[in-house]
Amino acid sequence: MTTVQVSFPVPPEVLWNSLPAGVAAAGGSAPYYDPQRGTVFFKTGMSLLSWGQNVTVTVSHAPGGSALTVQTTLKLGLIDWGEGKRLGNRFTAAVAHAAGIPALT
């Protein structure tokens, strides 16, 4: 499992509304949005270099704004060779771009 967490200087609602951009940037399919928990679940498909990932993204309150936590788990295999981190970074960058905000880290 790989976890990427990034803080943003905006309320959680702003991030929540931008999550579809992150799902699209990550190549996610069949997203399930749970607004009660502030969570979205989706999967990425297989490719030449990947067996795919199961992804859970959580939006939460944080000091000075909100936090976006992206957790990735391999569908098959033991080592992701950095794929989860790259996917998490791509997701958070797309959400930040869609919301028009810089990430604080």
Side-chain angles (χ1 to χ4, degrees), residues 11-67:
E13 297 78 28
V14 173
L15 293 184
W16 180 259
N17 293 332
S18 300
L19 291 181
V23 173
S29 63
Y32 172 73
Y33 295 89
D34 184 350
Q36 296 292 350
R37 292 184 173 165
T39 304
V40 62
F41 305 95
F42 64 92
K43 297 179 180 194
T44 64
M46 290 178 27
S47 70
L48 205 54
L49 301 173
S50 172
W51 288 103
Q53 299 266 351
N54 295 315
V55 183
T56 303
V57 179
T58 305
V59 176
S60 59
H61 290 279
S66 55

